[in-house]
Amino acid sequence: MIVMLVIMFALMYFLMIRPQKKEQKRVTAMLNDMEVGDAIVTTGGFYGVIIDITDEDVIVEFGNNKNCRIPMKKAAIAEVEKASDATE
């Protein structure tokens, strides 16, 4: 009986907890590696370019207007494409 409980806990760890921690590390690394000029996609689906970064916030420029600059939390960023990757 105890062996079955240990096996169930190990199975739950490898199927649920471990992938979640791995994804959290990936997102944290992505947010820490952001630089000015990188293209981003927000969690709401908006595309923009980073023009300034602070500790918890970023200022993102949306569209070709150059007047639409919005401050947002780093947590609202879903994807980052490095500026050097976009030019290649």
Side-chain angles (χ1 to χ4, degrees), residues 63-75:
N64 296 329
N65 192 355
K66 305 292 183 198
N67 291 327
C68 185
R69 296 178 175 180
I70 300 174
M72 61 177 41
K73 296 285 186 187
K74 285 184 177 180

Side-chain angles (χ1 to χ4, degrees), residues 16-44:
M16 297 174 74
I17 298 170
R18 189 167 178 234
Q20 185 177 9
K21 285 185 179 182
K22 188 181 278 188
E23 177 67 14
Q24 177 115 18
K25 284 183 183 180
R26 185 194 68 78
V27 169
T28 303
M30 175 189 69
L31 294 178
N32 289 335
D33 291 341
M34 286 190 308
E35 297 176 349
V36 172
D38 290 348
I40 65 157
V41 178
T42 66
T43 54

Side-chain angles (χ1 to χ4, degrees), residues 7-20:
I7 290 172
M8 291 296 285
F9 181 74
L11 185 64
M12 185 178 71
Y13 175 78
F14 282 109
L15 292 178
M16 297 174 74
I17 298 170
R18 189 167 178 234
Q20 185 177 9

Side-chain angles (χ1 to χ4, degrees), residues 55-83:
D55 289 335
E56 294 181 10
D57 301 327
V58 294
I59 297 177
V60 181
E61 185 173 77
F62 294 99
N64 296 329
N65 192 355
K66 305 292 183 198
N67 291 327
C68 185
R69 296 178 175 180
I70 300 174
M72 61 177 41
K73 296 285 186 187
K74 285 184 177 180
I77 296 174
E79 295 178 25
V80 175
E81 182 178 317
K82 302 302 274 179

